[in-house]
Amino acid sequence: MLVSAKEMLDKAKAGHYAVGQFNINNLEWTKAILQTAEECKSPVILGVSEGAGKYMCGFKTVAAMVKAMDESLGITVPVAVHLDHGSYEGTKACIEAGFTSVMFDGSHYDIDENVAKTKELVELSHKNGISIEAEVGAIGGEEDGVVGMGECADPDECKMVADLGVDMLAAGIGNIHGVYPENWAGLSFETLDAIQQKTGDMPLVLHGGTGIPDDMIKKAISLGVSKINVNTECQLVFAEATRKYIEAGKDKEGKGFDPRKLLAPGFEAIKAKVKEKMELFGSVGKA
Ligand code: 13P
């Protein structure tokens, strides 16, 4: 059931659990995540970066694929198709293309410009019944060419952006996209606590979910995080399972080269990873 992300995140915030955003790259990814969400009776958010959108032939193709797949698989749990780290133009394009949720990442602008652009896009998305995420304080690391420094957000700036009526807020608390370096200092719970106190009921978003230890994830949820984004971890398990299949020579046995067979181990690996995360985030049975 395709819906905006607002209701599922408000429920998660009130119920002290988090909904996973899992990024999609193609049909297999989308099917694996949708089927797992249905099996786990969990709400889910399908994240689409601008780069992945382009790879999948544009936002219209993605919106149409998700809508059709959601119907064909008979998915009953709430599903949002959500733009991840959208530019100003990309956000507008997704609102038109039929996404049910968008993220406008204005964190690289100065705060006044971030506020002005976010405000305009909040009005536009709400007019179309779409939920919107904003960002304050860049997330570290690199994702699809979007590079952030990993700074901690200013709680007062978070309050300014939250007051614009956004539905969820991403705030940097030392989190980084991709695999964490050995010398990573960990999440700043002090910053998260200060942000949560300033922003009250606002569902907070934790980007860079890959590789954050389980105890830190649980603590972040207890301090108001209601949406957690995971991308790299699904890519890693997909690659590993596919490599094992090929290294074992299975693509050369019978019709093992058939893409439906070749991609099956990676598909199952994504399913297992998504289930593990839904259990950790506490969203199982919440649909
Ligand atoms: P990871 O790739 O580190 O899991 O981050 C995903 C993310 O935050 C998407 O916006």
Side-chain angles (χ1 to χ4, degrees):
M1 187 181 34
L2 271 190
V3 293
S4 111
K6 177 163 175 55
E7 193 182 322
M8 65 171 92
L9 292 179
D10 285 347
K11 276 190 187 163
K13 176 93 185 188
H16 307 289
Y17 60 93
V19 177
Q21 171 189 309
F22 302 96
N23 285 45
I24 60 171
N25 293 287
N26 58 19
L27 184 143
E28 279 76 14
W29 241 261
T30 313
K31 184 175 161 189
I33 298 164
L34 286 179
Q35 281 187 345
T36 309
E38 185 68 25
E39 286 160 17
C40 291
K41 292 285 165 250
S42 168
V44 74
I45 297 169
L46 303 176
V48 183
S49 68
E50 293 203 358
K54 212 169 180 183
Y55 175 78
M56 290 184 275
C57 304
F59 298 134
K60 274 192 184 164
T61 308
V62 176
M65 173 181 75
V66 172
K67 186 170 185 287
M69 206 186 282
D70 181 72
E71 284 169 17
S72 305
L73 292 175
I75 303 294
T76 61
V77 298
V79 176
V81 53
H82 176 83
L83 173 65
D84 189 26
H85 292 285
S87 62
Y88 177 77
E89 291 304 329
T91 303
K92 284 187 163 176
C94 283
I95 292 171
E96 259 186 37
F99 276 48
T100 62
S101 190
V102 288
M103 172 189 192
F104 168 60
D105 179 357
S107 63
H108 51 286
Y109 295 113
D110 64 47
I111 186 66
D112 293 336
E113 193 166 358
N114 188 359
V115 164
K117 286 192 160 67
T118 300
K119 187 167 187 281
E120 182 192 335
L121 293 169
V122 165
E123 279 163 22
L124 190 63
S125 49
H126 286 174
K127 216 191 294 172
N128 287 276
I130 293 168
S131 52
I132 181 164
E133 172 179 346
E135 178 170 331
V136 179
I139 313 294
E142 187 269 347
E143 187 178 61
D144 258 341
V146 180
V147 182
M149 303 302 288
E151 71 207 49
C152 280
D154 173 350
D156 288 316
E157 290 187 359
C158 289
K159 165 123 183 79
M160 262 166 83
V161 173
D163 285 348
L164 300 172
V166 300
D167 303 291
M168 58 202 117
L169 182 71
I173 55 166
N175 39 335
I176 299 174
H177 287 129
V179 177
Y180 284 85
E182 287 287 323
N183 61 352
W184 178 51
L187 297 176
S188 169
F189 292 114
E190 212 178 29
T191 308
L192 178 57
D193 193 30
I195 294 168
Q196 138 106 334
Q197 290 195 25
K198 292 260 178 194
T199 58
D201 290 341
M202 173 66 54
L204 300 174
V205 183
L206 182 63
H207 282 248
T210 293
I212 298 180
D214 291 2
D215 58 333
M216 284 197 203
I217 291 281
K218 286 188 177 151
K219 184 151 188 204
I221 294 172
S222 77
L223 289 170
V225 164
S226 327
K227 171 175 179 275
I228 302 175
N229 294 4
V230 178
N231 183 11
T232 308
E233 228 168 304
C234 290
Q235 299 186 0
L236 288 170
V237 295
F238 179 86
E240 191 190 353
T242 309
R243 177 165 22 83
K244 271 193 189 150
Y245 180 89
I246 292 175
E247 282 179 353
K250 294 200 176 148
D251 58 315
K252 293 188 175 151
E253 289 168 11
K255 278 207 151 197
F257 56 83
D258 178 335
R260 280 173 259 168
K261 293 192 171 128
L262 181 67
L263 298 179
F267 175 86
E268 291 301 333
I270 295 173
K271 285 193 70 183
K273 181 54 73 181
V274 170
K275 181 168 189 263
E276 175 195 314
K277 295 294 177 190
M278 286 175 166
E279 284 166 356
L280 174 65
F281 300 165
S283 68
V284 173
K286 296 294 196 311

